[in-house]
Amino acid sequence: MEFVEKLKLLLSEKQDFNILWNWLLQSEAGAFLSEMQSVMQNPIFHGEGNVYLHTKMVCEALMKNAELSAFSLNERAELFLAVLLHDIGKIKTTAIEDGNWISPHHSSAGSHMTRTFLWQECGLCGSKEAIETRESICGLIRYHMLPVHMIDQEDAALRIRQVASVGELAKGFSWQKLCMIADADIQGRIAGDINECREKIALCRILAEESGCLYRSYPYHDIYTKHAYLRGRNVLPDQALYDDTWGEVTLMSGLPGSGKDTWISGHLPELPMISLDDIRKEMKVKPTDDQGAVIQEARARAKVFLRKKQPFVWNATNLSREIRQKQIRLFEQYGASVKIVYLETDEKKRKERNTGRADAVPEEAVNKLLRKTELPLPEEARAVEWVCV
């Protein structure tokens, strides 16, 4: 975490921006900044040139924002890292289409790249503080383009409240900060639509405040109503719905070696468990083989419990939202409520646990999983927990 701590020190001393920037070029983030210099952008929207020049202008715009002084040093560091890394996804996604530079889905790609960088290069993993800091930054990057486009959303209030729920777990995330980053992003450009875009961001800020979540997530009546609303059911967020679920299915999530088996034995020893690792052993399927038959068998076993209305644990890595949602939809179709428990530990402990297993997952495969990891968010299930072990 030396990089983050040094950044905090420089920010606390209110160094001249050029001094701060020169240090960044020599820091762990310097490799990204170097790559950005060769990544071009559409001159209609980015007359300043490459991504590096844009990023530097965005960082300077944030530093000039008067709102920044109201935040703690930790929050200022999170905001600065978010703008510093907000466009690193363009390194991987930029291409030419019909003669124009485009960067489709760069915010999502950038969020993944930032998570890996902060986890592996900066040591931001394995503790509550580290997870909250890292995921606040990743969330701000993931959604940094949304404020400009919020006016085009079919149900802006719902989308605002869905995104605001990120702050329930990533405590440093809020719509206020998201709008600050979006505004700095717009100011850090040379283009003809700057005033128009800033007006859209200002309108988004008003919508977030009117929706009750500019600074925090929305205060729902209960978690059942909250889940129904965030999933898009035709209900009001202030309703108190009747809870017709019969019990809870626990869906585990975490990298190999994060301690899922140990946590289950210590917290839910009385519940039956469907373990994809165990099914793989039974079927003699390697983790690197096609997993279709394993998943099919696991879902068949889950349906037996669901028909009996028997709570159980689904134990697998479940590191992408898409994979989690496939299982959650099945469980909820049978009337169960779902809790996602995501486990994380520091890298040293995780590697020791993984290599100590008889069926250890190759570190190359683990790193690939990390690069694709999406932490579960509150809108995904009735209850979501991030646990450090």
Side-chain angles (χ1 to χ4, degrees), residues 4-21:
V4 178
E5 294 305 315
K6 178 63 174 178
L7 175 62
K8 290 180 185 178
L9 178 62
L10 291 173
L11 290 173
S12 68
E13 293 176 349
K14 298 182 180 179
Q15 294 280 3
D16 177 84
F17 181 74
N18 288 325
I19 295 175
L20 175 61
W21 196 256

Side-chain angles (χ1 to χ4, degrees), residues 140-181:
L140 291 169
I141 292 171
R142 174 66 181 86
Y143 297 112
H144 78 268
M145 295 183 67
L146 193 54
V148 176
H149 301 288
M150 185 52 64
I151 192 173
D152 301 320
Q153 296 286 316
E154 184 176 343
D155 189 338
L158 171 60
R159 189 67 183 127
I160 284 172
R161 288 168 181 152
Q162 287 174 331
V163 173
S165 69
V166 174
E168 294 178 21
L169 296 172
K171 304 299 185 182
F173 180 92
S174 72
W175 268 103
Q176 179 194 20
K177 294 175 182 176
L178 196 56
C179 288
M180 288 175 63
I181 287 175

Side-chain angles (χ1 to χ4, degrees), residues 80-105:
F80 189 87
L81 281 168
V83 294
L84 179 71
L85 303 172
H86 81 284
D87 269 354
I88 62 170
K90 290 183 177 180
I91 295 172
K92 288 188 175 182
T93 63
T94 298
I96 292 182
E97 183 178 280
D98 298 328
N100 295 314
W101 292 104
I102 62 169
S103 303
H105 310 297

